[in-house]
Amino acid sequence: MRFFYFGILFSILCSCSNEDSNSLHPYSEYFYSYDTEPKVYRYRDIVHGLDEQFHRVYGVEDSEGKHIVVERYVQDGRLTEAFNFNLDSLNVLDHMVVNALGENEKATLYNDQLLPKAKGEAAQFTSKFSGVTDSTVFLMDVNRQLTDTKMRKVLSDSSECITLEENAIYTLLNPFTKQESQQTLELVTYFAKGFGLVEWYDTKQRSHFQLEEILSQEKWIKLISE
């Protein structure tokens, strides 16, 4: 059975190892590599310099194969959502969100792709989960298109990156009254060869996150505990 491995935020995994595992996805070199030792990507918003995000990335293996888990945290260490990617296809197997009650909730998936498989091809991801009240639900609909490959500065070096143009629609729906409200975001996202996600911004420049450093789990726990 597929599931997320939580409850280990404030503990150190006892047996971690690097494993050479390859994905069948044609752009897997630009995604996170499979590694059972967690790494924490620290991103800073260069529009609002004090805003940070942390993405905790690690590989797991179960009866259904190998997976790459990406957990997203805000700067005070609170988990907001997590994605479980199948290693072979890089399709999303599970999407977990922290709902309005602060509970981990497994979302319902309708489309499971976040990384296109060819230039000009669109990947669609659609997920439904609880809204801000018991009578509402959120529908998250993301379309990403791979438009370009270029060299960009990543940390202190230049790296080859793929460019994804993203249109995301977030709909808050009351299924009983049929009332709904929508918010649309247009984003540009970069994945670098050998790194994974390194940068993203919305086209109205309200936020612009860049990878600042990659931390060990131990250093990250120390950082958010200070």
Side-chain angles (χ1 to χ4, degrees):
M1 180 178 65
R2 300 192 302 264
F3 58 93
F4 289 110
Y5 290 74
F6 296 110
I8 54 176
L9 172 59
F10 298 105
S11 63
I12 304 299
L13 296 181
C14 296
S15 57
C16 299
S17 62
N18 297 332
E19 298 185 23
D20 294 328
S21 298
N22 297 318
S23 171
L24 300 177
H25 193 287
Y27 287 95
S28 62
E29 289 182 298
Y30 300 88
F31 199 66
Y32 306 101
S33 59
Y34 181 89
D35 190 343
T36 55
E37 182 175 355
K39 293 182 176 63
V40 179
Y41 287 60
R42 182 181 189 179
Y43 303 93
R44 185 175 299 278
D45 183 357
I46 62 176
V47 176
H48 308 94
L50 296 179
D51 292 344
E52 293 181 322
Q53 281 194 30
F54 298 95
H55 293 183
R56 181 173 178 267
V57 181
Y58 56 95
V60 295
E61 183 174 7
D62 59 20
S63 60
E64 296 191 19
K66 293 181 178 180
H67 317 269
I68 297 174
V69 177
V70 181
E71 301 171 353
R72 296 182 177 180
Y73 298 82
V74 291
Q75 62 189 44
D76 63 0
R78 287 182 293 113
L79 177 68
T80 59
E81 65 179 336
F83 298 85
N84 182 0
F85 295 87
N86 173 266
L87 178 62
D88 286 339
S89 65
L90 296 185
N91 290 350
V92 179
L93 296 174
D94 294 295
H95 179 210
M96 190 284 300
V97 297
V98 178
N99 62 28
L101 298 175
E103 301 168 337
N104 294 347
E105 176 185 339
K106 183 175 179 178
T108 300
L109 291 183
Y110 298 101
N111 295 290
D112 62 1
Q113 294 186 7
L114 278 171
L115 191 64
K117 295 182 179 179
K119 186 175 180 180
E121 177 184 296
Q124 186 172 12
F125 178 81
T126 309
S127 175
K128 183 181 72 174
F129 45 92
S130 298
V132 293
T133 66
D134 292 340
S135 58
T136 58
V137 296
F138 267 118
L139 187 67
M140 173 182 175
D141 190 12
V142 177
N143 287 274
R144 282 180 171 175
Q145 186 171 21
L146 199 159
T147 61
D148 198 9
T149 302
K150 62 177 66 175
M151 301 299 294
R152 294 182 62 83
K153 184 177 180 181
V154 178
L155 299 179
S156 58
D157 296 317
S158 182
S159 297
E160 187 176 297
C161 298
I162 55 174
T163 306
L164 303 180
E165 294 184 358
E166 175 179 321
N167 178 270
I169 301 174
Y170 298 89
T171 304
L172 179 63
L173 172 67
N174 187 319
F176 303 102
T177 64
K178 306 301 181 183
Q179 292 182 326
E180 65 178 57
S181 60
Q182 283 189 345
Q183 180 182 10
T184 300
L185 293 176
E186 293 184 352
L187 304 174
V188 177
T189 302
Y190 298 100
F191 284 77
K193 183 178 289 187
F195 287 93
L197 177 63
V198 294
E199 184 178 351
W200 72 93
Y201 61 86
D202 75 88
T203 56
K204 294 183 179 180
Q205 284 295 316
R206 291 168 295 192
S207 63
H208 186 164
F209 283 89
Q210 290 182 340
L211 179 65
E212 188 170 79
E213 61 180 324
I214 300 176
L215 304 167
S216 67
Q217 180 168 267
E218 292 86 346
K219 289 184 178 179
W220 175 56
I221 293 173
K222 182 179 180 180
L223 176 68
I224 62 175
S225 300
E226 292 177 348

